[in-house]
Amino acid sequence: MSKQVLELEAKPKRLVDLSRFNLPERYKSTLTNEKWQTMVKRQYGLPENTRVVKATLSLCPVCTRRIPAVVYEENGAIWLKKSCPEHGVFEDLYWGDAEMYYYFLQWDRPEYIAKGLANPYTDLEFYKDMGSCPEGCGLCPVHKSNTVLAIIDVTNRCNMACPVCFANAGAAGYVYEPTLEQIEYMLRTLRAQKPWPPNAIQISGGEPTLRDDLPIIVSMAKKLGFTHIEVNTNGIRLANEPEYYKALLDAGMSTIYLQFDTIDEKNEGVWRHRLYHPKAYAAIKYKVIENARKLGHRSIVLVVTLARNYNDKDLGKIIDFAIQNRDVVRWVNIQPVSFSGRARLYSKEELRKFRITIPDTIIEIEKQTGGAISRWDWRPTNWPVAVAKMVEALTDSPKPLFSMNPMCGAATFIYYDEDEKRIYPITKLVDVDAFERGAWDVYYTAVKGGVYKQAAKLKALKLLKAVKHKRVKDLIYDFLVKKDYESLGRFFFNVVGIGIMHFMDTMNYDVERVQRCDIHYATPDGRVFPFCTYNVVGHREKVEQSFKVDPKTWVKVTGVSLTGWNKQKFQEIRTSISP
């Protein structure tokens, strides 16, 4: 949404009262420094009724060179402004609600930042020669996070042509489809990370299910130590070919990451954003859910690419659908549209029309659920760092740290009470803030070692006090004392997670954020890239160009169309890998 639209909609809003928030010292020192505020406002031509939050680095949307930028508050929202010496001034919405921004900013503290890899894939010399971040990528020694979720693209072929595709799948003019040997190399590259090798992998594309040998890839990942294996899919093949779905499950697939922009058969916006008839689009999703039940698969993530004036009014319906199908749906993952890949072709006017940010999404959900899920029921996606560090200290074993910047994502959980026939956000069941404070206390006690570690274990048991809902407290007690796994299982199949992850594009790019990204792509050249460098600054195109095949040659050699698959070949592969 453009600043002009916001100004027309309402009178200018006062600056947010910062006394309500426990902000990190780093921000207090600049937010209250009048001389610094005046200097930066003058430098960027900001009006007096603004507040500078921080100076950072961004990218020019035209030439992608690294340029200085400022993040500031104005009229109830947070904006990013930057100036390229060659292409001029650019401004974009950074966060749609200033109050929520400062609330999330409370988690932007040093203790939430990881240390990066002990064995990075590139060195400082390469980093400097390539022009530093985000060009000198791979991962480099400057990167601050380990890989929590790894991604490998196994093809750029696709049987859809979505204008919002960040991978520009199916339209690059070449085929990128790594061999099984190259894929094994990528998987081994990821598993070699220290001190903690990632155990979660997302197999992506393109449309991965166009590969008849996908079950082999899943099995390969399983054998190499990945315990959580997701397949990113539009669902077309899984809806129409249940035996292929079953083969993936038999090979070790954990989760389907299912494209799910809407369930409304009347949403004509699907034509614009997915080039698909809305009734057919919904029918595919229903069929995948039906096949999951038949196969006993209980782990589907509904993935919503969200855009304003497209499907932002469908959020309540999608959440209702997830709750109604909670026996198979574990999570709803909402991704506000990133204008990268094919979506980079949108005009400035379209960008302003479709741009939606994390707080805009949260507030829309609050409205559409009648306040059942409020804006204060969410926490940033780096909230679990305290819990991970606590477990790490108690077990003397490295754990994945969700150490991304708090502005990258938000999450909550909702519990459906079958007796009351209503939903409860996790914050109504558990005092999550007291739990987090307790987790930090346990951690700081345990790291002292010796007798303190035993004391920390006793403190950890007291975290049960943070559970407010009697039924939940009784359930956890029965699990801990009576080892009642069945009851615990029933509880979790009444829980659905909701996450929001806003990947960046050249307009809202913040280099500081990307240096803490923990969602990483592995590539056949032995490097690993943060999501928002791989898809934004040209790394994807360079990698794919190095391993591309001419489409006509590929079709001639394989005998398969660019948008199809070979059922006979799949049957042969399935027979060869059957136990």
Side-chain angles (χ1 to χ4, degrees):
M1 182 175 287
S2 69
K3 188 179 293 186
Q4 291 75 21
V5 171
L6 285 175
E7 289 171 350
L8 288 172
E9 285 184 348
K11 294 178 181 179
K13 295 180 181 179
R14 291 183 179 181
L15 296 175
V16 171
D17 177 10
L18 299 182
S19 66
R20 300 165 45 209
F21 306 102
N22 181 24
L23 296 175
E25 289 300 322
R26 168 198 171 189
Y27 291 102
K28 286 181 183 177
S29 63
T30 54
L31 289 166
T32 59
N33 187 326
E34 291 185 11
K35 287 185 178 179
W36 186 82
Q37 289 280 327
T38 301
M39 179 188 71
V40 178
K41 286 179 186 179
R42 187 180 298 122
Q43 179 185 350
Y44 286 92
L46 303 179
E48 274 305 307
N49 62 332
T50 59
R51 176 190 283 140
V52 178
V53 178
K54 67 174 184 177
T56 187
L57 293 168
S58 186
L59 300 174
C60 171
V62 180
C63 63
T64 69
R65 75 168 70 177
R66 198 166 75 157
I67 55 176
V70 64
V71 175
Y72 67 98
E73 175 192 353
E74 184 180 17
N75 197 23
I78 302 294
W79 302 85
L80 185 144
K81 188 175 184 179
K82 53 194 173 181
S83 178
C84 174
E86 184 177 351
H87 300 106
V89 176
F90 301 90
E91 196 170 33
D92 195 24
L93 185 64
Y94 190 82
W95 257 52
D97 186 89
E99 186 181 31
M100 289 204 70
Y101 177 84
Y102 292 118
Y103 180 67
F104 273 51
L105 202 62
Q106 295 176 115
W107 279 269
D108 193 3
R109 299 176 183 276
E111 57 265 38
Y112 291 90
I113 301 175
K115 297 178 181 178
L117 298 184
N119 56 337
Y121 298 99
T122 61
D123 56 24
L124 283 174
E125 186 177 346
F126 175 85
Y127 175 79
K128 292 174 183 177
D129 288 347
M130 296 302 294
S132 67
C133 185
E135 292 290 349
C137 215
L139 291 166
C140 74
V142 175
H143 198 78
K144 298 176 175 66
S145 294
N146 56 305
T147 302
V148 173
L149 175 64
I151 306 175
I152 57 168
D153 283 344
V154 296
T155 185
N156 73 334
R157 295 188 297 130
C158 191
N159 48 358
M160 292 182 71
C162 311
V164 292
C165 181
F166 57 75
N168 197 24
Y174 54 81
V175 172
Y176 168 80
E177 192 154 304
T179 64
L180 290 176
E181 291 75 19
Q182 289 169 336
I183 289 169
E184 180 177 354
Y185 177 59
M186 288 189 271
L187 294 172
R188 289 187 181 277
T189 298
L190 289 163
R191 290 292 293 166
Q193 286 188 14
K194 296 177 181 179
W196 186 84
N199 65 348
I201 184 84
Q202 184 179 104
I203 300 172
S204 191
E207 174 53 45
T209 64
L210 293 187
R211 287 193 68 142
D212 297 302
D213 60 357
L214 188 58
I216 295 177
I217 297 169
V218 171
S219 179
M220 184 189 298
K222 193 79 172 178
K223 289 174 182 175
L224 289 173
F226 288 95
T227 57
H228 180 84
I229 303 168
E230 298 179 351
V231 170
N232 190 346
T233 180
N234 56 35
I236 293 174
R237 188 169 187 179
L238 301 188
N240 290 287
E241 201 173 321
E243 60 270 26
Y244 183 83
Y245 191 158
K246 185 178 185 305
L248 293 174
L249 292 174
D250 291 343
M253 179 183 70
S254 314
T255 298
I256 290 174
Y257 204 67
L258 181 64
Q259 181 197 97
F260 205 94
D261 285 3
T262 183
I263 200 61
D264 185 354
E265 295 181 356
K266 298 178 181 179
N267 187 339
E268 297 293 336
V270 174
W271 281 111
R272 175 71 178 86
H273 285 259
R274 294 295 183 194
L275 305 182
Y276 223 76
H277 191 284
K279 287 187 177 180
Y281 186 86
I284 288 168
K285 312 310 172 185
Y286 280 116
K287 187 65 178 175
V288 172
I289 297 292
E290 179 187 329
N291 287 345
R293 282 200 182 96
K294 289 178 179 178
L295 293 170
H297 185 217
R298 307 185 76 174
S299 185
I300 292 179
V301 177
L302 308 182
V303 187
V304 184
T305 299
L306 188 71
R308 196 182 292 278
N309 300 308
Y310 162 44
N311 58 347
D312 54 324
K313 302 306 178 187
D314 293 349
L315 287 167
K317 297 174 188 174
I318 293 169
I319 291 170
D320 283 343
F321 181 89
I323 293 166
Q324 291 163 13
N325 295 279
R326 63 191 179 278
D327 59 319
V328 295
V329 175
R330 297 275 59 78
W331 193 270
V332 178
N333 197 30
I334 302 163
Q335 298 175 353
V337 63
S338 166
F339 293 92
S340 58
R342 194 147 57 239
R344 191 182 298 156
L345 302 177
Y346 280 81
S347 67
K348 283 186 178 180
E349 291 72 24
E350 287 176 313
L351 187 150
R352 289 174 180 145
K353 178 183 176 183
F354 295 129
R355 172 74 81 200
I356 190 167
T357 68
I358 289 170
D360 302 322
T361 307
I362 289 172
I363 291 168
E364 196 63 51
I365 289 173
E366 181 181 63
K367 291 176 183 176
Q368 293 182 35
T369 61
I373 307 172
S374 86
R375 68 190 71 186
W376 308 117
D377 292 323
W378 300 76
R379 296 294 181 272
T381 44
N382 67 340
W383 182 94
V385 165
V387 179
K389 284 192 171 183
M390 175 185 71
V391 175
E392 211 172 54
L394 291 174
T395 61
D396 293 317
S397 174
K399 294 292 180 286
L401 297 179
F402 293 80
S403 58
M404 65 187 68
N405 189 286
M407 302 309 151
C408 291
T412 190
F413 289 90
I414 51 176
Y415 167 66
Y416 182 79
D417 191 305
E418 292 183 338
D419 294 333
E420 299 181 30
K421 307 299 182 188
R422 58 165 292 186
I423 61 171
Y424 284 98
I426 187 68
T427 52
K428 301 299 188 293
L429 306 178
V430 179
D431 185 339
V432 295
D433 299 318
F435 189 93
E436 184 188 26
R437 288 192 298 271
W440 279 119
D441 183 34
V442 173
Y443 165 72
Y444 286 120
T445 302
V447 291
K448 294 177 183 178
V451 295
Y452 288 100
K453 183 165 288 188
Q454 190 60 37
K457 291 178 180 178
L458 294 174
K459 282 186 176 183
L461 292 174
K462 295 179 181 179
L463 291 176
L464 272 176
K465 291 181 179 179
V467 181
K468 298 185 287 186
H469 195 283
K470 184 179 183 302
R471 185 173 175 183
V472 177
K473 186 177 289 188
D474 291 344
L475 187 97
I476 295 174
Y477 177 83
D478 286 345
F479 168 69
L480 292 173
V481 177
K482 302 177 184 178
K483 308 300 181 187
D484 185 355
Y485 292 93
E486 187 177 340
S487 296
L488 190 68
R490 283 200 302 271
F491 170 76
F492 279 112
F493 282 115
N494 279 316
V495 173
V496 175
I498 310 176
I500 308 169
M501 185 63 64
H502 194 175
F503 298 113
M504 295 184 289
D505 49 56
T506 54
M507 284 299 295
N508 61 10
Y509 207 87
D510 184 346
V511 170
E512 182 183 354
R513 272 179 58 182
V514 81
Q515 289 180 341
R516 288 171 61 182
C517 175
D518 56 21
I519 302 174
H520 300 157
Y521 282 88
T523 57
D525 61 2
R527 288 189 289 168
V528 175
F529 295 87
F531 190 103
C532 291
T533 65
Y534 193 62
N535 291 309
V536 176
V537 297
H539 291 303
R540 171 185 288 279
E541 290 79 5
K542 291 174 184 175
V543 168
E544 291 185 354
Q545 284 286 338
S546 299
F547 296 91
K548 68 179 181 180
V549 177
D550 176 74
K552 291 182 180 178
T553 302
W554 192 90
V555 171
K556 185 177 181 180
V557 170
T558 64
V560 178
S561 74
L562 295 178
T563 59
W565 59 84
N566 187 325
K567 290 186 76 171
Q568 182 179 346
K569 182 181 177 183
F570 161 65
Q571 292 297 344
E572 292 171 358
I573 291 171
R574 188 181 184 188
T575 301
S576 69
I577 62 175
S578 296

